[in-house]
């Protein structure tokens, strides 16, 4: 699967990346877990459809009632159509320089940071609707005015969200300019019960698959395939022992395409079938 470099693929002038950039993203096909190298922080204002993003340490899913502020980095995106058979998302990218300017102007800038969370969830309201309409309107302005207009609109949006979410939003903004990546083991252990492939987890770790496997064996003294396999089967066993679910309810959740393969792997691991465990 090719890696999409965003926003570079949307910018016409390849010799210059603007500090502020708006792009209307539309599609008519579902896209599941595309690899995205997000080179700028970005507001994602979902208008039609559903979106899920896998980060290094967590996952978030949104619909048209929510928007996301996403931290730059390597992420996996799933974008799904709704009944209208289309997907529409307005994207607003901003540079770290613009963010620093805003923080210096409007906050105490004490450099206290929140936990390293790669997104901030925004509840859409009448202001957001009006704001998006205004973004669409200014795109018709002559290019000579566009840079200044976007600067005004960026500051307006940030001030509104600062007023709406207060200190939590300020701390999140400050965390965006801290050059840290999630520790390797933290990423791995957050993905134990996901259905991500090893290649996809390696991408979230900013590694090739071969580098990822070498690093994994050095940390855990076992191959990643066996480690994830054993951890997921143990979780499946724990789930069945609670007595609320049957094997047929959970095999997909733990990465198996059919119940038979799940049952065989389970019995090979524990010496008894998942059906016996659930009784």
């Amino acid at each position: 699967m090719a890696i999409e470099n965003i926003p570079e693929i949307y910018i016409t002038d390849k010799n210059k990346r603007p500090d502020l950039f708006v792009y209307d993203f539309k599609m008519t096909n579902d896209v599941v877990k595309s690899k995205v190298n997000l080179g700028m922080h970005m507001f994602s204002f979902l208008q039609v459809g559903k979106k899920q993003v896998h980060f290094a340490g967590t996952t978030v899913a949104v619909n048209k009632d929510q928007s996301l502020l996403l931290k730059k980095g390597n992420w996996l995106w799933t974008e799904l159509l709704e009944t209208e058979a289309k997907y529409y998302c307005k994207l607003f990218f901003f540079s770290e320089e613009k963010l620093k300017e805003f923080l210096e102007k409007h906050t105490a800038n004490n450099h206290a940071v929140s936990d390293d969370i790669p997104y901030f969830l925004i509840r859409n309201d009448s202001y957001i609707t009006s704001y998006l309409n205004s973004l669409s309107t200014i795109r018709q302005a002559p290019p000579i005015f566009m840079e200044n207009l976007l600067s005004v609109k960026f500051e307006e949006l940030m001030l509104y969200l600062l007023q709406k979410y207060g200190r939590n939003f300020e701390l999140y903004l400050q965390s965006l300019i801290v050059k840290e990546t999630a520790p390797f083991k933290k990423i791995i252990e957050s993905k134990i019960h996901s259905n991500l492939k090893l290649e996809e987890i390696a991408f979230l770790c900013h590694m090739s698959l071969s580098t990822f496997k070498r690093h994994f064996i050095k940390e855990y003294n076992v191959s990643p395939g066996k480690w994830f396999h054993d951890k997921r089967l143990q979780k499946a066993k724990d789930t069945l022992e609670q007595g609320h679910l049957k094997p047929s309810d959970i095999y997909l959740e733990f990465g198996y395409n059919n119940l038979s393969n799940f049952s065989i792997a389970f019995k090979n691991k524990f010496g008894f079938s998942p059906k016996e465990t659930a009784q």
Side-chain angles (χ1 to χ4, degrees), residues 17 37 64 84 113 166 227 265 279:
R17 184 165 73 178
N37 181 304
K64 63 183 179 179
E84 295 90 341
V113 297
W227 190 88
Q279 290 176 347

Side-chain angles (χ1 to χ4, degrees), residues 6-244:
I6 294 177
E8 286 79 4
I9 61 174
Y10 303 144
I11 297 173
T12 305
D13 185 355
K14 302 303 180 183
N15 297 317
K16 181 183 177 184
R17 184 165 73 178
D19 285 322
L20 297 167
F21 179 65
V22 175
Y23 184 78
D24 289 332
F25 179 75
K26 300 177 181 179
M27 66 178 191
T28 54
N29 297 297
D30 290 338
V31 175
V32 179
K33 288 190 290 195
S34 59
K35 292 180 179 178
V36 173
N37 181 304
L38 186 60
M40 298 174 73
H41 306 310
M42 181 191 79
F43 284 100
S44 173
F45 298 104
L46 185 57
Q47 306 292 283
V48 181
K50 297 177 181 179
K51 184 171 194 161
Q52 183 181 62
V53 186
H54 292 275
F55 304 98
T58 187
T59 300
V60 63
V62 295
N63 56 31
K64 63 183 179 179
D65 297 323
Q66 301 157 311
S67 296
L68 287 171
L69 172 50
L70 296 173
K71 183 177 184 177
K72 63 184 180 181
N74 279 10
W75 315 133
L76 297 169
W77 290 5
T78 293
E79 295 163 308
L80 302 174
L81 312 181
E82 286 195 318
T83 53
E84 295 90 341
K86 64 180 180 179
Y87 177 95
Y88 171 41
C89 190
K90 188 177 285 291
L91 309 176
F92 193 170
F93 302 89
F94 60 94
S95 68
E96 203 155 289
E97 288 70 26
K98 281 293 181 183
L99 174 60
K100 288 176 180 176
E101 286 177 16
F102 177 83
L103 290 172
E104 288 171 3
K105 184 176 179 180
H106 295 289
T107 71
N109 203 21
N110 57 14
H111 301 292
V113 297
S114 61
D115 292 335
D116 186 25
I117 300 174
Y119 70 91
F120 191 92
L121 189 64
I122 298 164
R123 297 288 175 183
N124 291 342
D125 55 20
S126 57
Y127 167 81
I128 295 294
T129 301
S130 175
Y131 179 82
L132 295 178
N133 289 334
S134 70
L135 274 186
S136 297
T137 301
I138 68 169
R139 294 199 66 186
Q140 302 170 20
I144 193 170
F145 298 122
M146 183 57 66
E147 186 175 341
N148 287 337
L149 284 171
L150 282 180
S151 291
V152 171
K153 297 305 293 182
F154 174 70
E155 187 171 20
E156 174 194 338
L157 175 63
M158 298 292 262
L159 284 171
Y160 175 75
L161 295 175
L162 197 57
Q163 173 269 322
K164 182 175 182 178
Y165 294 106
R167 183 65 172 162
N168 286 341
F169 187 66
E170 180 181 347
L171 288 173
Y172 180 75
L173 292 180
Q174 290 171 350
S175 78
L176 293 180
I177 53 178
V178 176
K179 306 293 187 185
E180 291 183 352
T181 56
F184 181 78
K185 294 183 85 168
K186 178 181 177 182
I187 298 173
I188 297 305
E189 285 160 26
S190 73
K191 300 305 177 191
I192 290 173
H193 308 308
S194 75
N195 284 329
L196 298 184
K197 300 174 183 176
L198 289 183
E199 181 187 7
E200 292 167 338
I201 298 173
F203 176 73
L204 295 177
C205 293
H206 295 256
M207 295 178 181
S208 68
L209 181 57
S210 59
T211 300
F212 173 80
K213 287 180 177 178
R214 286 197 303 271
H215 198 76
F216 193 101
I217 292 170
K218 183 178 178 181
E219 289 284 345
Y220 291 95
N221 296 313
V222 66
S223 71
K226 178 170 174 44
W227 190 88
F228 277 106
H229 177 264
D230 288 348
K231 290 288 185 181
R232 288 168 179 168
L233 283 177
Q234 183 59 53
K235 177 62 176 178
K237 179 174 176 287
D238 294 343
T239 301
L240 291 173
E241 285 175 345
Q242 294 175 11
H244 304 303

